Amino acid sequence: MAAQNGEAKRTKVAMRVLVTGGTGLVGQAIRRVVEEQQSEDEEWIFVSSKDADLTDTTATQALFDKHQPTHVIHLAAMVGGLFKNLKYNLDFLRNNIRINDNVLHLAYENGVRKCVSCLSTCIFPDKTTYPIDETMVHNGPPHESNFGYSHAKRMIDVQNRAYYVQHGCTFTSVIPTNVFGPHDNFSLEDGHVVPGLMHKVYMAKRDNKPLTVWGTGSPRRQFIYSYDLARLMVWVLKDYQEVDPIILSVGEEDEISIKECAELVVEAMDFKGEVIYDTTKSDGQFKKTASNAKLRKYQPDFKFTPIKQALKETCDWFAENYDIARK
Ligand code: NAP
Ligand code: GFB
């Protein structure tokens, strides 16, 4: 069961899971899955930077001392969409390298039995063949828009292999594609495209203004609902035994253009106004089409939430929680 606000009761359990970055988009979805599954003999602790600034080694050690986790799902990171990455590549690089080194090394020093970290499909080589798969992470430079974040994330895979060969640690990683869902960051400048469009449609309806989509709308993306990613990450924690990463994404056939994504958000929010495209804004990476064949080998029957239902649930959450949503 989930412990409240990160306060762990030191009860004897088979698995005490520390979820770093536990208050964000993915962390909140994992909390929902854990509460639905009601698994006995498990304790889940969801923490944020208020519990410990993970760029600080001493604070990170104190967090591990306090909770003594047996397992870690490591989500904490400096995260953002294309436009935040374009502005802060150095900060993304430094902050995430520091967070990742602290969490992984203290997980090792505190005897954590398994640690699952997060990469991203945006870290793959920009010049590549398609579909991209897990073997291609280090095959060339990433897209220049987010090279800082990408290199920090790629190092997690290198760190995981180093902890395995030197210490036999089962530290692994997942590679999610673009995620969206409740509790996302709806900031227009710093967030990702789906929450950004939802926020813009909300304001366009309120102010009777057109919706402005940034870029040409032609880049292509695969989107995974945070609830689906969370269900898969709990499975990875419990049953996936490889150190090598695994892509967690909808199939190549579910890839859509940004224009189609905007049209789906317009439909989900019943927006009737004008839609315009501001082509002075960057398109970023044209595509990063990833294969989920490895996932399908393990989980042939996994059912993703249909995107229209996932978008509707997210839009409804945003409208109901507008005052408290990150924006
Ligand atoms: P998010 O909503 O921005 O949440 C980030 C979490 O990390 C928050 O709980 C935040 O806590 C915590 N955090 C940030 N800096 C921290 C620090 N210095 N010390 C301690 N905690 C810190 O991010 P998300 O979308 O859930 O992403 C979760 C993971 O998935 C990340 O590793 C990200 O790289 C990966 N991922 C995300 C996407 C996507 O589309 N969203 C795609 C692929 C991979 P505070 O709120 O207190 O700062
Ligand atoms: O989700 P996003 O910001 O990041 O999507 P990426 C950017 C694409 O959506 C570009 C278009 O083609 C934008 O021109 N777009 C249209 C918008 N309207 C908007 C809007 O209102 N907001 C935003 N943000 N974009 C990120 C990486 O790449 O993918 C991160 O930079 C991260 O590191 C994330 O890994 C998953 O998908 O381009």
Coordinates of all heavy atoms in Angstrom, one line a residue, residues 80-83 85 120 122 145-146 149 177-179 188 191-194 196-197 200 212-216 219 221 258 281-285 288, ligand 2:
G80 N 11.3 18.6 -19.3 CA 10.6 19.7 -20.0 C 10.4 19.3 -21.5 O 10.9 18.4 -22.0
G81 N 9.6 20.2 -22.2 CA 9.4 20.0 -23.6 C 10.5 20.6 -24.4 O 11.5 21.0 -23.9
L82 N 10.2 20.6 -25.7 CA 11.2 21.1 -26.7 C 11.7 22.5 -26.3 O 13.0 22.7 -26.3 CB 10.6 21.2 -28.1 CG 11.3 22.0 -29.2 CD1 12.7 21.3 -29.4 CD2 10.5 22.0 -30.4
F83 N 10.9 23.4 -26.0 CA 11.3 24.8 -25.8 C 12.1 25.1 -24.5 O 13.0 25.9 -24.5 CB 10.1 25.8 -26.0 CG 9.4 25.6 -27.3 CD1 8.3 24.8 -27.5 CD2 10.0 26.2 -28.5 CE1 7.8 24.6 -28.7 CE2 9.4 26.0 -29.7 CZ 8.3 25.2 -29.9
N85 N 14.0 22.7 -23.3 CA 15.3 22.1 -23.6 C 16.1 23.0 -24.4 O 17.4 23.1 -24.2 CB 15.1 20.7 -24.3 CG 14.9 19.6 -23.3 OD1 15.8 19.0 -22.9 ND2 13.6 19.3 -22.9
S120 N 14.4 8.1 -22.5 CA 13.3 8.7 -23.3 C 13.6 8.5 -24.7 O 14.8 8.4 -25.1 CB 13.3 10.2 -23.0 OG 12.4 10.9 -24.0
C122 N 13.4 10.4 -27.0 CA 14.0 11.6 -27.6 C 15.5 11.6 -27.5 O 16.2 12.5 -28.0 CB 13.5 12.9 -27.0 SG 14.1 13.2 -25.4
S145 N 18.4 19.8 -30.2 CA 17.5 20.6 -29.4 C 17.6 20.2 -27.9 O 17.3 21.0 -27.0 CB 16.1 20.4 -29.9 OG 15.7 19.1 -29.8
N146 N 18.0 18.9 -27.6 CA 18.0 18.5 -26.2 C 19.2 17.6 -26.0 O 19.1 16.6 -25.3 CB 16.7 17.7 -25.9 CG 16.6 16.4 -26.7 OD1 17.3 16.1 -27.6 ND2 15.7 15.5 -26.2
Y149 N 20.0 17.0 -22.0 CA 19.1 16.0 -21.4 C 19.5 14.6 -21.9 O 19.6 13.6 -21.2 CB 17.7 16.4 -21.7 CG 16.6 15.4 -21.3 CD1 16.1 15.5 -20.0 CD2 16.1 14.5 -22.2 CE1 15.0 14.6 -19.7 CE2 15.0 13.6 -21.9 CZ 14.5 13.7 -20.6 OH 13.5 12.9 -20.3
T177 N 8.1 6.8 -24.6 CA 8.0 7.8 -25.6 C 7.3 9.0 -24.9 O 7.2 9.1 -23.7 CB 7.1 7.2 -26.8 OG1 7.1 8.2 -27.8 CG2 5.7 7.0 -26.4
N178 N 6.8 10.0 -25.7 CA 6.1 11.1 -25.1 C 5.0 10.7 -24.2 O 4.1 10.0 -24.7 CB 5.7 12.1 -26.2 CG 6.8 12.8 -26.9 OD1 7.8 12.1 -27.4 ND2 6.8 14.1 -27.0
V179 N 5.0 11.2 -23.0 CA 4.0 10.8 -22.0 C 3.0 12.0 -21.8 O 3.4 13.1 -21.9 CB 4.6 10.4 -20.7 CG1 3.6 9.8 -19.7 CG2 5.8 9.5 -20.8
L188 N 3.0 26.7 -20.6 CA 3.1 26.9 -22.0 C 4.5 26.9 -22.5 O 4.8 26.4 -23.6 CB 2.4 28.2 -22.4 CG 0.9 28.4 -22.0 CD1 0.4 29.7 -22.5 CD2 0.1 27.2 -22.7
G191 N 6.4 23.1 -20.7 CA 5.8 21.8 -20.8 C 5.9 21.1 -22.2 O 6.5 21.7 -23.1
H192 N 5.3 19.9 -22.3 CA 5.3 19.2 -23.5 C 4.1 19.6 -24.4 O 3.2 20.3 -23.9 CB 5.3 17.7 -23.2 CG 6.6 17.2 -22.6 ND1 6.7 17.0 -21.3 CD2 7.8 16.9 -23.2 CE1 7.9 16.6 -21.0 NE2 8.6 16.5 -22.2
V193 N 4.0 19.0 -25.6 CA 3.0 19.5 -26.5 C 1.6 19.2 -26.1 O 0.7 20.1 -26.2 CB 3.3 19.0 -28.0 CG1 3.3 17.4 -28.0 CG2 2.3 19.5 -29.0
V194 N 1.3 18.0 -25.6 CA -0.1 17.7 -25.3 C -0.6 18.6 -24.2 O -1.7 19.3 -24.4 CB -0.3 16.2 -24.9 CG1 -1.7 16.0 -24.4 CG2 -0.1 15.4 -26.2
G196 N 0.5 21.5 -23.3 CA 0.6 22.9 -23.8 C -0.6 23.2 -24.7 O -1.3 24.2 -24.5
L197 N -1.0 22.2 -25.5 CA -2.2 22.4 -26.4 C -3.5 22.5 -25.5 O -4.4 23.3 -25.8 CB -2.3 21.3 -27.4 CG -1.2 21.4 -28.5 CD1 -1.3 20.1 -29.4 CD2 -1.4 22.6 -29.4
K200 N -3.7 25.8 -23.9 CA -4.0 26.9 -24.9 C -5.5 26.8 -25.3 O -6.2 27.8 -25.5 CB -3.1 26.7 -26.1 CG -1.7 27.1 -26.0 CD -1.0 26.9 -27.3 CE 0.5 27.2 -27.2 NZ 1.2 26.8 -28.4
T212 N -3.4 28.7 -31.1 CA -2.1 28.8 -31.9 C -1.3 27.6 -31.6 O -0.9 27.4 -30.5 CB -1.3 30.1 -31.5 OG1 -2.2 31.2 -31.8 CG2 -0.1 30.1 -32.4
V213 N -1.1 26.8 -32.6 CA -0.2 25.6 -32.5 C 1.2 26.0 -33.0 O 1.3 26.7 -34.0 CB -0.8 24.4 -33.4 CG1 0.1 23.2 -33.3 CG2 -2.2 24.1 -33.1
W214 N 2.2 25.7 -32.2 CA 3.5 26.1 -32.6 C 4.1 25.1 -33.7 O 3.9 23.9 -33.7 CB 4.5 26.1 -31.4 CG 4.1 27.2 -30.5 CD1 3.4 28.4 -30.8 CD2 4.4 27.3 -29.1 NE1 3.3 29.2 -29.7 CE2 3.9 28.5 -28.6 CE3 5.0 26.5 -28.1 CZ2 4.0 29.0 -27.3 CZ3 5.1 26.9 -26.8 CH2 4.6 28.1 -26.4
G215 N 5.0 25.7 -34.6 CA 5.6 24.9 -35.6 C 4.6 24.7 -36.8 O 3.6 25.3 -36.9
T216 N 5.0 23.8 -37.7 CA 4.3 23.5 -38.9 C 3.2 22.4 -38.6 O 2.3 22.3 -39.4 CB 5.2 22.9 -40.0 OG1 5.7 21.6 -39.5 CG2 6.3 23.9 -40.3
P219 N 5.8 17.5 -37.7 CA 6.6 16.4 -36.9 C 5.6 15.3 -36.4 O 4.4 15.5 -36.2 CB 7.2 17.2 -35.8 CG 7.4 18.6 -36.3 CD 6.1 18.8 -37.1
R221 N 4.9 12.0 -33.6 CA 5.2 11.5 -32.3 C 4.3 10.3 -32.0 O 3.2 10.1 -32.5 CB 4.9 12.6 -31.3 CG 5.8 13.9 -31.4 CD 7.2 13.6 -30.9 NE 8.0 14.8 -30.9 CZ 8.7 15.3 -32.0 NH1 8.6 14.6 -33.2 NH2 9.4 16.4 -31.9
I258 N 1.8 16.2 -35.2 CA 1.5 17.2 -34.3 C 0.1 17.8 -34.7 O -0.7 18.1 -33.8 CB 2.5 18.3 -34.1 CG1 3.8 17.7 -33.6 CG2 2.1 19.5 -33.3 CD1 3.8 17.1 -32.2
K281 N 7.9 29.3 -34.9 CA 8.4 28.5 -33.7 C 9.0 27.2 -34.3 O 8.5 26.6 -35.2 CB 7.2 28.1 -32.8 CG 6.6 29.4 -32.1 CD 7.3 29.7 -30.8 CE 6.5 30.8 -30.1 NZ 7.1 31.1 -28.8
S282 N 10.0 26.7 -33.5 CA 10.7 25.5 -33.9 C 9.8 24.2 -34.0 O 8.9 24.0 -33.2 CB 11.9 25.2 -33.0 OG 12.4 23.9 -33.2
D283 N 10.1 23.3 -35.0 CA 9.4 22.0 -35.0 C 10.2 21.0 -34.2 O 9.7 20.0 -33.9 CB 9.4 21.5 -36.5 CG 8.2 22.0 -37.3 OD1 7.2 22.4 -36.6 OD2 8.3 21.9 -38.5
G284 N 11.4 21.3 -33.9 CA 12.2 20.3 -33.1 C 12.5 19.1 -34.0 O 12.6 19.2 -35.2
Q285 N 12.6 18.0 -33.3 CA 13.0 16.7 -34.0 C 11.8 16.3 -34.9 O 10.6 16.4 -34.5 CB 13.2 15.6 -33.0 CG 14.0 14.4 -33.5 CD 14.5 13.6 -32.3 OE1 14.1 13.8 -31.1 NE2 15.3 12.6 -32.6
K288 N 10.9 10.4 -34.2 CA 11.7 9.5 -33.4 C 11.0 8.1 -33.2 O 10.8 7.6 -32.2 CB 12.1 10.1 -32.0 CG 10.9 10.8 -31.4 CD 11.3 11.6 -30.1 CE 10.2 12.6 -29.7 NZ 10.6 13.3 -28.5
Ligands
GFB2 O1 6.4 17.6 -26.4 P1 7.4 18.5 -27.1 O2 7.5 19.9 -26.5 O3 8.8 17.9 -27.2 O4 6.8 18.6 -28.6 P2 9.5 16.9 -28.2 C1 7.3 19.6 -29.5 C2 6.6 19.5 -30.8 O5 5.3 20.0 -30.7 C3 7.3 20.5 -31.8 C4 5.1 21.2 -31.4 O6 7.1 20.1 -33.1 C5 6.5 21.8 -31.5 O7 6.6 22.7 -32.6 N1 4.2 22.1 -30.7 C6 3.1 22.6 -31.1 C7 4.3 22.4 -29.3 N2 2.4 23.3 -30.2 C8 3.2 23.2 -29.1 C9 3.0 23.7 -27.7 O8 2.1 24.4 -27.4 N3 3.9 23.3 -26.8 C10 5.0 22.5 -27.1 N4 5.9 22.1 -26.2 N5 5.2 22.0 -28.4 C11 10.9 16.4 -26.1 C12 12.3 16.5 -25.6 O9 10.9 16.6 -27.5 O10 10.4 15.1 -25.8 C13 12.4 16.3 -24.1 O11 12.8 17.8 -25.9 C14 11.5 15.1 -23.7 O12 13.7 16.1 -23.8 C15 10.2 14.9 -24.5 O13 12.3 13.9 -23.9 C16 9.6 13.6 -24.2 O14 8.7 15.7 -28.3 O15 9.8 17.6 -29.5

